[in-house]
Amino acid sequence: MKTSELKNLRVAVIGAGYAGAAAARALTEAGAAVTVYEQASQIREVGAGIGLRPSSMAQFERWGIGGAIKAVSSPSDGFEILTADDHRIAREEWPEKSAYGETTHLIHRGDFIEALVGSLPTGMVRLGHKLDTITDHGGSATLGFTNGETATADLVIGADGIKSVVRERLFTDAQPVFAGEHAYRAVIDIADTFGMADDGDLRMFIGRGTKVYLLPLLHRGQVSFDVTALNADGTWAPAVTQDDIVATVQGFDERIVRMTEGLDMAAVNVRAVYDIEPVERWHTDSVVLIGDAAHAMCHHQGQGANSAILDAGALADALVAAGSVPDALAAFQATRKPVTDELQRISRHGWTEDELDDVFPGQKPGQVAATVQG
């Protein structure tokens, strides 16, 4: 699209999370007029750490925010896979380093969303706007919010996560799928990891039915500590005690057991893991899904946030290159959907058949739909 057309394009982004904030930044750089609608009354991200891959870091450099992201993250040379009792299985450098001239950076989720949203023009993000209705007119769409306000845009970007209202209203009413596992996450002092994360490498320890991840946040003097375990309880926010979590790491290196015993449960994020089935079509002529709204996936590959960032870049590129919004949305889906379909598929294969049979005899939890609770 011509620069003048992009400047006159009214874009509404639903959701100010990774996908929404990244899309807003990318489209602002391309010259579009963007408004972001966020249901929360304040921007706040819970959870722990994530890894931003070289391809994502290259996008940030393109958008002029590479320095801001690097200022609140730690570069990492590689990742290591180990047995539960701390014997190395493999160590690799992060892929894509040579292709993009960047390495992976490890960052706290809160710092990441603060840096992304902080890069947007003042007033672009409108808080307290929970989407209720969306009416697709073909060349535009009208949004209705629970606070009584409405807005019409030439392009609506549904970046409203795994429980996406945009997806449910226009594309599919299929509910998220329980992955048959829980994730327990906290940020702890690096001193409390007994030297197991001092060098900046991401480490994954593999036990039977349980994985433990140590993701160093060296710039903070902290480590993101994640225990992911098979569990049949699909409650969205399950009730879990410290004894429950300690029990899941029995048989792991004694230092990991001690880390778990020392957790402050008030600071532990506990959730059941869900993804969604691949969505057949991500767009109409004026509405498009990105990020988790389009392709929420399990976290075993560490690709959720990275996929959202690459979506944002690909969408902006498609709008610049195409002659119209419908053509751009079709090109965007053609570029990104094959990639995320495959990542969704791979991310469902984080466990052996024997491990699954221990908890789900005769079933495959990634294939069994469960209604989201809570």
Side-chain angles (χ1 to χ4, degrees):
M1 298 175 67
K2 296 177 181 178
T3 302
S4 59
E5 292 174 321
L6 282 172
K7 287 183 177 179
N8 291 324
L9 188 70
R10 297 170 299 170
V11 179
V13 178
I14 308 301
Y18 309 145
R25 179 69 193 189
L27 290 173
T28 298
E29 287 295 301
V34 181
T35 303
V36 181
Y37 297 95
E38 165 59 41
Q39 66 176 345
S41 59
Q42 59 179 337
I43 300 296
R44 177 174 167 270
E45 179 66 34
V46 298
I50 55 175
L52 299 173
R53 302 293 179 92
S55 52
S56 295
M57 296 304 298
Q59 291 288 344
F60 300 141
E61 291 294 336
R62 287 182 62 197
W63 304 339
I65 58 172
I69 299 296
K70 289 176 180 178
V72 291
S73 64
S74 299
S76 175
D77 292 328
F79 61 95
E80 193 170 11
I81 302 172
L82 307 103
T83 62
D85 56 353
D86 195 30
H87 289 87
R88 177 185 287 180
I89 298 171
R91 185 192 182 279
E92 296 182 19
E93 284 198 349
W94 292 103
E96 304 177 329
K97 286 177 66 173
S98 59
Y100 292 97
E102 298 282 350
T103 191
T104 290
H105 278 67
L106 308 180
I107 192 168
H108 188 281
R109 293 169 183 265
D111 294 340
F112 180 38
I113 198 65
E114 185 175 317
L116 267 181
V117 173
S119 76
L120 302 178
T122 301
M124 178 177 287
V125 179
R126 303 191 63 186
L127 301 175
H129 283 69
K130 179 178 175 60
L131 185 66
D132 183 30
T133 63
I134 179 168
T135 304
D136 191 340
H137 307 298
S140 65
T142 298
L143 309 169
F145 300 95
T146 57
N147 61 9
E149 292 189 26
T150 62
T152 298
D154 304 307
L155 171 61
V156 173
I157 301 172
D160 48 343
I162 191 170
K163 296 183 181 181
S164 171
V165 175
V166 178
R167 185 182 67 237
E168 184 174 359
R169 297 286 191 270
L170 293 184
F171 297 95
T172 175
D173 60 1
Q175 295 298 300
V177 177
F178 177 44
E181 58 195 68
H182 286 180
Y184 315 127
R185 293 170 173 156
V187 174
I188 62 178
D189 288 341
I190 197 167
D192 294 334
T193 63
F194 310 105
M196 298 183 81
D198 290 354
D199 62 359
D201 276 359
L202 170 67
R203 287 182 168 82
M204 178 176 70
F205 300 83
I206 302 176
R208 187 176 178 87
T210 301
K211 296 181 176 70
V212 173
Y213 302 84
L214 296 179
L215 185 149
L217 302 168
L218 299 183
H219 60 290
R220 278 172 158 248
Q222 295 176 322
V223 173
S224 179
F225 180 50
D226 179 308
V227 178
T228 298
L230 286 169
N231 196 295
D233 180 5
T235 306
W236 190 264
V240 174
T241 68
Q242 187 156 28
D243 288 343
D244 293 331
I245 303 178
V246 171
T248 68
V249 298
Q250 291 306 310
F252 278 75
D253 186 284
E254 179 60 28
R255 292 169 294 178
I256 292 175
V257 176
R258 289 166 60 192
M259 287 179 220
T260 310
E261 292 172 338
L263 290 174
D264 174 6
M265 287 301 292
V268 177
N269 178 260
V270 176
R271 67 178 182 89
V273 178
Y274 281 77
D275 66 2
I276 62 173
E277 298 288 355
V279 178
E280 182 177 350
R281 185 175 172 86
W282 291 357
H283 68 90
T284 66
D285 284 349
S286 59
V287 181
V288 65
L289 302 173
I290 69 170
D292 282 355
H295 47 67
M297 60 190 72
C298 299
H299 62 281
H300 299 294
Q301 301 299 312
Q303 289 285 6
N306 289 282
S307 293
I309 294 156
L310 297 184
D311 283 354
L315 180 58
D317 289 344
L319 284 164
V320 170
S324 67
V325 170
D327 287 348
L329 301 188
F332 164 70
Q333 176 171 319
T335 298
R336 292 294 299 151
K337 184 168 165 44
V339 177
T340 60
D341 280 356
E342 180 64 5
L343 287 172
Q344 283 183 293
R345 185 191 67 79
I346 293 172
S347 72
R348 283 186 166 181
H349 294 278
W351 310 99
T352 67
E353 295 292 331
D354 287 345
E355 288 174 310
L356 293 172
D357 284 341
D358 285 347
V359 180
F360 302 93
Q363 300 181 63
K364 301 296 180 291
Q367 299 169 355
V368 179
T371 301
V372 175
Q373 304 175 42

